[in-house]
Every structure is written in C-alpha cells, then in structure tokens.
C-alpha cells in the first residue's frame, strides 16, 4: 500500500489509526496531532527517526512490532534515531517486539507504562537502559538470547548459547513494575538484586529457560511479597528425567501467589515432600503440572491445599492405580516434537504462553477442578480418586479408557457436578454406570464412538435415568445408529447434544422403534440433532420430541422438506436452526404454527423466494438468518405487515439478488424500518443484471425506476412523438421544398445570426500523450485504443499521432489540425508529460476552441497523481468532474473506467456540468 504524505491530515479528530499488515516501508508523515493510538504492526518499516514522531505529540500508544523479523526474512537492523521517542511526553505504551534492535532504544520518555521488547536480539541490559522509566508497570524482554531447542520458529541463540546479560541494578528504579516477562532468555540463574525494589510485582514469567537449579534454590523468591502469577514452565534439562521435582523452600515466601505454572519440568513421581514449600500458600488457587511426563502421583498431597480450585495434570503419563509398587517404566528422555516453523503467529497474543483459561469455564464454575486429560488412565479403579472428595469438575478426556463403567469407579468423588469423558472408548453395558455421582449435572460422553459402531455390542444408556440431578448430556459424534433400549428416560435432563450421530438410520423408512427415543425426556428444553445425515424426518418422530423444547437444532443435515405445521406441538419454541440443509420453501403461516418463535436460522439452504405475507405471519421473529441462499428478490407482498414487526436482525449476505426495479420495494422497506439491522451489509450484493453485478443493493440508484403512472405517461408521450415523426416524414416526402424552406426560415428567426465554425470534425477524439514514454505508448495503443475502437459497444474513432498525422507537415500544424478535426481532446497525463512542452501547446490549442467556438473538448486521464495544486484542475473537478478520469489501482474497477471514458467521449461536456457552479456563474 502507498500512503501519500498528509493523507490523514484533515482528519482533525482522529484518535486511533490502525495500519497493520500493509507492507509500508516508512511511517506516514502528516498525521493529525489528535492521534492517540497508532499501530503499524507487520509492515516493512526498518527506520524510525525524529521526523516520524515529531507531529505525534499527543500519542499514548505506539505499536511498531513485527516489522523486521524471521517471517519477513529481514536481514537489516531496525534503526531508531537517538531521541526519537524523547519528545513523546504522553506516550504510555510502546511495542517494538520482533524487530532486530540489538539494544534498548535510548532516551525513552519517562511517561511509559508498558514497554514490549520481545525477540529484539538484545544481548545485554545495562544499568542505564530503564533508569528513567519510573512509571513502568509492564516490561517484556522475552525471546532475547532465546532457548532455541525445539523452538517453533527460526531461532538464533546468542553466541555461545549465552543468556541475556542483565546488570544487577538494571531494574532498581522500576518500583511500580507489575508484570515482568523474561521467558526464553536462556537464563541459568535469577539474580535476587533484580527484585530488591520490585515489591509491587504481580506477574513473573520465566518459562523456556534453564532454571532447574534455580527452582531448587530460588533466593530471589524472598523479594516478591505481592507476586500472584509465577510461570516456570519448560525449564527442563535435556536428556534428564529425574524421579522427583526439587522445589526451593523459598517458595513458601510467596504468600500472595495465586497461580503457579510448572509445566515441562519433566519428572517421574510427585509426592508430598516434593511440593511441601507450596502447602502453606493460602492464596494458591491454580497449580499447573501439565506436560511433565509424570507416571505416579500421590493424589492425597492435594488435600493439603485448602484453597486450590484448579489442579491441572493434563498431558502426563498417569496410569491406573495398581497394587504393584515396583511397576515402573524404564527411564528415558523426553523431547517435544518440533513444530512447523511456518505456523501463523498472532502478533496481538503472547508469544510464549496462552492467556486463556486452563480448564473450560463451564466446568470450573462448579467449584474445585481436576484435569487428568491426555494421560494413560485406561482403567479407573475404585481407589483411583481417593483424596479428591471435594472435586466438582473432573476432566478425564483422551485417556484411551475402554472399560465398562459399573458405578463404583467414582465412589470417591461423589460431589462431581461436571464430568468430561470425551475422546475415550467407553463401553456402555451397565445401567448402574455412574450411579455414585448423585450430584452430577453435566456429563460429556462425546467422541466415544468405538463400541457404538459395532452392531453386536450392547449399547445401554439407561443409566441416565438414575442421574437425578443431570441437566446436560453430550452424546455428540458417537455415530450412534442402534441402541439396546429404544428410548432415553430422564426427568431432570434439560439439554441433550445428539449431534454427529446417525438418526437417519434410527428413523429409517417405516421403522418406528426409535420414534419415541426422546419423548420421555420430559424436562428437555434444548435439543441438538445437527450433523445426523437426516434427509427426512418422519412426522411421528418429530411430533414425539419433548414438547417443552425452547431451542431445536437441526442444522447441517440433508433435509429437502420440513413440515412446518408440526411446530404447533412446541408452544415454547423460541429458536429453530435449520441452516446447512437443502430446503427450498418457507411457510407463510409461521405465527400460526409457532407463535413463540423468535430466532429462525436458515442459512446455507436453497430457498429462492419468500412467500407472500411472510413478515406479516412471522411477526414474533426477532432474528431471521437467510444468509447464503438463492433469493433473487423480495417482493412487496412479502414485506407487507398489518402490525409493526419485531424483527431486529436480518441476515441476507451471499444471495444472488436480481437488482432490477423490483428490488425497490425491499430497499424502501429497509429505509422505513431502521430498527432492522443487517450484519455485513456489504455482502448483500447484486448478481444480475450484468452492469449491477457485485454492487451492494443499498448503493443502487432507484431514481431510474418509475411508477406505473409515470410509465403510462411516458408511453403516451413516446407514442405521440413517434406519430409526429411519422407525420413529419410523410410531410417531408410530399412537401419537401416547402417544408425545407419554411423550416429554415423559422429556424433563422428563432436562433438569429450565429457565426458558423469552419472546422469539420472527422474524429471522435484526439489522444495527446507522451510518445517518448514506452509504457504510456503501449498503454494507449494496446489498452485505450483497443477498448474504444475495437469494443463490441459503440466504436470510437481516435486520432493518434503515430498513425494519423500527415507526414512532412509541421508538428504545430498537425497538432492544430488534429484538435480542430476531433470532437474531443484526451490528455493522458503522467508526472513527466505534465511538464512537457507538447502537452502545454496541445492544452492551449484545445482551450482556444473553448474561447472561439464555445466548445469544451478537454478530457483528462490521470495515470499518476499529477497537477495536485493546479487551480484549473481543481476548478474543472468541481464544474465537470466526469471529464477527469483516474486510472484505478484495483484491476476489478477497470471495466467501470472504460465505460466511463466511452460515455464522456460520446457526450458533450457541457451537458454534464455541475449546475450549482454553472448557475452561480450565470
């Protein structure tokens, strides 16, 4: 993208300007002084100087990250002139991450509160670098001298694989610092002097370093009384697989600690004495020990933590409890697989750790959470969860569990309210399964399809009848096509997710066995039957769905027909999702069948039109989604309503609208119902006729459409004109000489005397261009000449210097002859040609015709931005804007350019004058 200097200067109230990922090579000049935030992330800027920032006196946030880094294959140094940011006295946030700086920029303003210098190839931090930044609350130095082993991007460590050299007193003035990120800086030790004055620090990130020994000593931990988040993940030693984790006693000094991340330490067993220093931390709520390849854990150790709410043990090697204490796997090293170096990184997110929740909020909201997903608990023993009696959220997904649950497996965790058993191989063959979970409210059994796919195996789901508190059951993506019982029974269940199964086989043909499968879920309000490959829903099966439903999802099936009248069985239904099917028709009695329906989702169907009176009979609808259908027009009869519509959201994008005058009724309806919002209105475009293709329907010019009355008047008028022409032709044939004489006598009396021009036009237009510029000549000959002279529409005869000038005749004579014998003169301007003598001569000759003959023949084509300060060009822009054409940057707009040029050439300029200026002159 090219941004001209001063492009935003007139935006006097502009406060936020985002110019991200535009391949800019410099910071635009002439930015308004009102600017508060400027983002230039992911461009190609490598130089920043005082000139770039001199106008940004009120700037508060400046983002210049990701301009010169591995993704851009940048080999340069990101140069910052000394004192570039010194005058920005209001600057609070500065991001220079992912640029090859090599050192901290000098003379940073003392107003800074957040400074991002991640991955800037800085190798040392001196005592003076942050000395004046006394207001700094956030400092990110991650990725400088990175730990490159298994790095997910092209990584270059410091020479000798040394760590980031930080002066012992580098942070002594940062007394207000709340957040410090030193991740992936190859640290082998943490100097306690860094934290002497950091009593306010709340978050410290030290992951991806070499701090196993520092974790064991941790002298610096004694100076962080208010630290709430500590991340020491992935500090493992290569090839080492210790039996226990070694934690410093100084962890006990972190009295304010709430979240501790210790992923990637890599050890075999966890016992109480291993984490003894953490037990006294009363504020600790989350402990993350994921991806440590732990084989055995003494779960009772977690009972010592009275305020823990999240215990994250995902992605380890925890196996079922067995009686053989000597059952150990051989010691081995653990190396994470290298990820692709070409992954897409988000420049707005943290590069080294995710900021999202460890456990789904839907689960953790119930209380204390335990995550054991992605382990090896392929069998659950009766004592597996002893010591976790207060767990309310339990995640056992992706453990390869293939056992038959009999009911006693969860006797130690009777308070569980959310149980996640997804991505296992469970065999449901016992109606007593999970019977000890008397308080269970949410059960997720999705993606346990292994045994459901085998026809000869028992498939019992009767156990849900015994779960008297169960409210949500997820059975999605199990490919269920047969069940031992023909019905599901529950008096408490409120939501069932049955997506990704095979209802098309359960309800196949006249097989009535499963028609009442959901009927006995008497309190069901939400039912999801999407992705079930349904081509047809038997009326009996649909009418036997729970009648208390408020939300019904039937999306992404293969329905070609839907019996709308059956909705009358569901008086409380407020949402119906039928998107992603093959429906072609809608009902015009929606309010009769479903008066409570507020949301109807029909995107990605094959609906071609809306029935008459649809909006009148769907007066309760608030949200209607018709995105990506085949609607060509919306008739007036469809829009007519007897009362005010409740519709507030209407989605119509990606429909092939036929933008003829018939669309006018819909346009006027939109203007009259401003309360109806259409998201992404730019996607509501025309597919036909050809000249309107791709245009947004709100940009259509409806003035060309006339009413029936006007059409009748125009008909009689044209009929009268035609009759008169015929009579005139007959009179001309019979009374030629008399009529000729009378006509000229009357014409002379009406017009009076007018001097006649001696010039005779042979061409439609003369083209004046720079014949010495090869690219311009090529464009004129092969593009302009082709589109005007050889087009299928009206041909335009051009006069070209290299083709039509008389050989041997003087240049000035040829030039005068070409201009006088052409109806129009087209100037093809470039910056070079605008200064050429030939252009000025031709321009004055064309202007002379305006003076002598009162004929405006001038047309400008601007191939480049030229004559920006020309008073004549500005005046002409206002009086006859259509005579100044600019070559478009967007190739898709070229067709419009040629059509506009042809219209200008074939019509008189004075017919297109702006009456506002012409009348004022008169």
């Amino acid at each position: 993208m090219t941004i001209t200097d001063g492009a935003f200067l007139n935006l006097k109230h502009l406060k936020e300007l985002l110019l991200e990922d535009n391949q800019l090579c410099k910071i635009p000049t002439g930015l308004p002084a009102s600017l508060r935030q400027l983002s230039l992330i992911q461009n190609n800027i490598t130089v920043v100087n005082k000139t770039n920032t001199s106008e940004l006196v009120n700037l508060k946030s400046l983002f210049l990250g990701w301009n010169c880094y591995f993704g851009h294959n940048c080999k340069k140094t990101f140069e910052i002139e000394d004192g570039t940011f010194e005058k920005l006295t209001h600057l609070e946030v500065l991001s220079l991450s992912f640029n090859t700086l090599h050192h901290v920029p000098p003379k940073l303003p003392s107003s800074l509160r957040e400074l991002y210098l991640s991955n800037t190839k800085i190798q040392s931090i001196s005592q003076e670098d942050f000395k004046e930044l006394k207001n700094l609350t956030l400092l990110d130095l991650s990725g400088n001298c990175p730990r490159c082993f298994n790095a997910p991007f092209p990584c270059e460590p410091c020479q000798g694989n040394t760590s980031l050299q930080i002066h012992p007193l580098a942070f002594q003035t940062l007394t207000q610092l709340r957040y410090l990120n030193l991740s992936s800086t190859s640290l082998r030790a943490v100097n306690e002097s860094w934290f002497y004055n950091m009593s306010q620090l709340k978050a410290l990130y030290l992951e991806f370093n070499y701090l196993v020994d520092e974790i064991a000593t941790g002298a610096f931990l004694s100076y962080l009384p208010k630290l709430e988040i500590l991340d020491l993940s992935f500090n493992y030693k290569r090839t080492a697989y210790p039996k226990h984790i070694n934690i410093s006693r100084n962890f006990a000094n972190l009295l304010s600690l709430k979240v501790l991340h210790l992923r990637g330490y890599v050890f075999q067993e966890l016992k109480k004495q291993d984490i003894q220093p953490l037990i006294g931390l009363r504020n600790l709520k989350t402990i993350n020990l994921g991806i440590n390849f732990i084989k055995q854990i003494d779960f009772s150790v977690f009972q010592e933590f009275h305020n823990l709410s999240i215990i994250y043990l995902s992605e380890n090697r925890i196996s079922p409890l067995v009686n053989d204490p000597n059952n150990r796997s051989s010691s081995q090293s653990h190396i994470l697989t290298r990820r692709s170096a070409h992954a897409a990184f988000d420049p707005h997110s943290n590069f080294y750790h995710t900021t999202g929740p460890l456990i789904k909020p839907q689960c953790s909201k119930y209380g204390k959470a335990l995550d054991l997903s992605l382990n090896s608990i392929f069998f659950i023993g009766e004592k597996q969860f002893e010591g976790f009696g207060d767990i309310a959220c339990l995640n056992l997904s992706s453990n390869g569990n293939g056992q038959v649950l009999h009911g006693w497996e969860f006797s130690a965790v009777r308070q569980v309210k959310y149980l996640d058993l997804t991505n296992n191989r469970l065999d449901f063959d016992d109606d007593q399964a999970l019977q000890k979970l008397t308080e269970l409210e949410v059960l997720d059994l999705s993606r346990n399809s292994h045994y459901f796919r085998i026809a000869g195996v028992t498939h019992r789901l009767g156990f849900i009848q015994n779960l008297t508190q169960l409210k949500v059951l997820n059975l999605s993506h199990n490919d269920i096509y047969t069940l031992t019982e023909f019905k599901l029974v529950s008096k408490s269940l409120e939501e069932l997710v049955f997506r990704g199964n095979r209802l098309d086989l359960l309800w196949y043909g006249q097989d009535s066995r499963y028609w009442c499968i959901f009927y006995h879920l008497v309190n069901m309000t939400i039912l999801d039957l999407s992705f079930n490959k349904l081509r047809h829903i038997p009326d009996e099966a649909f009418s036997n769905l729970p009648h208390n439903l408020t939300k019904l999802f039937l999306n992404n099936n293969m329905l070609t027909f839907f019996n709308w009248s059956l909705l009358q069985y569901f008086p409380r239904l407020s949402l119906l999702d039928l998107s992603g099917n093959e429906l072609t028709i809608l009902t015009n009695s929606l309010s009769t069948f479903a008066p409570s329906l507020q949301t109807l989702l029909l995107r990605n169907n094959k609906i071609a039109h809306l029935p008459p009176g649809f909006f009148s009979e769907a007066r309760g609808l608030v949200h209607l989604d018709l995105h990506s259908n085949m609607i060509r027009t919306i008739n007036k009869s469809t829009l007519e309503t007897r009362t005010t519509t409740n519709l507030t959201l209407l989605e119509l994008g990606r429909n092939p609208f036929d933008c003829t005058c018939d669309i006018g009724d819909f346009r006027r309806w939109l203007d009259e119902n401003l309360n109806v919002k259409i998201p992404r209105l730019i996607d509501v475009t025309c597919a036909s006729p050809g000249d309107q293709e791709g245009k947004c329907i709100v940009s259509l010019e409806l003035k060309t459409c006339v009413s029936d009355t006007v059409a009748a008047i125009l008909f009689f008028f044209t009929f009268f004109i035609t009759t008169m022409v015929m009579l005139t032709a007959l009179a001309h044939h019979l009374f030629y000489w008399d009529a000729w004489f009378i006509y000229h006598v009357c014409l002379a009396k009406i017009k009076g005397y007018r001097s006649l021009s001696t010039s005779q036009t042979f061409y439609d237009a003369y083209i004046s261009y720079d014949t010495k510029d090869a690219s311009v000549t090529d464009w004129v000959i092969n593009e302009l000449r082709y589109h005007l002279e050889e087009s299928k529409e009206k041909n335009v005869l051009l006069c070209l210097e290299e083709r039509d000038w008389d050989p041997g005749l003087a240049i000035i004579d040829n030039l005068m002859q070409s201009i006088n014998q052409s109806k129009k003169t087209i100037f093809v301007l470039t910056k070079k040609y605008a200064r050429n003598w030939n252009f000025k001569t031709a321009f004055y000759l064309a202007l002379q015709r305006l003076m002598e003959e009162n004929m405006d023949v001038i047309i400008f084509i601007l191939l480049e931005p030229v004559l920006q300060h020309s008073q004549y060009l500005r005046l002409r822009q206002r009086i006859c804007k259509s005579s100044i054409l600019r070559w478009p940057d967007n190739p898709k707009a070229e067709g419009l350019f040629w059509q506009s040029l042809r219209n200008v050439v074939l019509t008189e300029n004075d017919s297109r004058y702006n009456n506002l200026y012409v009348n004022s002159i008169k």
Side-chain angles (χ1 to χ4, degrees), residues 598-615:
Q598 296 180 348
T599 301
L600 179 58
L601 308 178
L602 292 164
R603 68 168 48 205
N604 289 301
N605 278 282
K606 296 181 179 180
I607 299 170
H609 70 279
L610 302 181
F614 176 78
F615 284 96

Side-chain angles (χ1 to χ4, degrees), residues 636-860:
K636 184 177 182 179
S637 59
T638 301
L639 303 168
E640 290 178 344
T641 57
R642 291 187 293 270
T643 58
T644 304
T645 178
N646 291 321
L647 194 66
T648 59
L649 189 61
L650 177 61
E651 300 185 54
L652 289 170
R654 299 196 177 184
N655 278 284
F657 281 103
D658 185 11
C659 295
T660 60
C661 290
D662 292 337
I663 204 72
D665 294 332
F666 177 57
R667 274 284 310 278
R668 283 184 284 273
W669 183 84
L670 288 179
D671 295 338
E672 294 170 359
N673 295 271
L674 298 178
N675 60 307
V676 180
K677 296 181 180 179
I678 301 182
R680 292 197 59 81
L681 191 57
I682 193 173
D683 287 341
V684 186
T685 57
C686 306
S688 60
D691 60 332
Q692 303 294 337
E693 185 176 359
K695 291 184 179 179
C696 181
I697 62 170
V698 296
S699 65
L700 296 177
E701 183 55 63
L702 296 179
K703 293 181 180 178
T704 56
C705 298
V706 296
S707 64
D708 294 340
T709 303
V710 175
I713 295 173
L714 291 176
F715 167 76
F716 287 112
F717 178 74
T718 53
F719 176 78
F720 173 76
I721 295 298
T722 303
T723 304
M724 293 303 298
V725 170
M726 293 178 63
L727 292 175
T728 302
L730 181 63
H732 178 271
H733 179 71
L734 298 176
F735 309 105
Y736 173 75
W737 292 107
D738 296 324
W740 182 89
F741 177 78
I742 294 172
Y743 168 75
H744 283 88
V745 169
C746 296
L747 188 65
K749 289 184 178 181
I750 293 173
K751 291 188 175 182
Y753 173 77
R754 178 180 292 176
S755 60
L756 299 175
S757 173
T758 57
S759 62
Q760 186 175 359
T761 57
F762 297 102
Y763 303 97
D764 290 308
Y766 163 63
I767 311 300
S768 176
Y769 62 97
D770 189 357
T771 56
K772 296 180 180 179
D773 189 330
S775 59
V776 175
T777 302
D778 178 76
W779 183 83
V780 170
I781 299 300
N782 296 319
E783 293 286 343
L784 187 144
R785 182 196 61 78
Y786 171 81
H787 283 91
L788 292 185
E789 287 191 343
E790 298 182 12
S791 64
K792 296 180 181 180
E793 301 180 15
K794 293 182 179 180
N795 294 330
V796 177
L797 183 59
L798 303 178
C799 178
L800 301 174
E801 175 180 339
E802 297 179 346
R803 183 186 70 180
D804 300 311
W805 276 19
D806 295 333
L809 194 63
I811 293 178
I812 188 65
D813 293 331
N814 263 316
L815 191 58
M816 292 180 61
Q817 183 173 289
S818 298
I819 293 174
N820 288 329
Q821 292 182 356
S822 301
K823 296 179 181 178
K824 296 289 175 63
T825 300
I826 301 176
F827 295 97
V828 182
L829 296 184
T830 61
K831 292 180 179 179
K832 182 179 178 182
Y833 188 53
R835 299 189 296 268
N836 192 287
W837 176 86
N838 289 339
F839 159 69
K840 295 179 180 179
T841 303
F843 173 74
Y844 287 133
L845 290 174
L847 199 60
Q848 189 174 353
R849 290 192 65 183
L850 178 63
M851 300 299 182
E852 295 183 356
E853 303 176 21
N854 197 25
M855 294 180 65
D856 185 357
V857 299
I858 297 174
I859 299 173
F860 290 108

Side-chain angles (χ1 to χ4, degrees), residues 19-24 39-43 72:
L19 295 172
E20 300 175 2
D21 200 9
N22 280 304
Q23 300 183 4
L24 299 176
S39 181
L40 292 159
I41 292 173
Q42 282 192 312
N43 283 287
H72 284 180

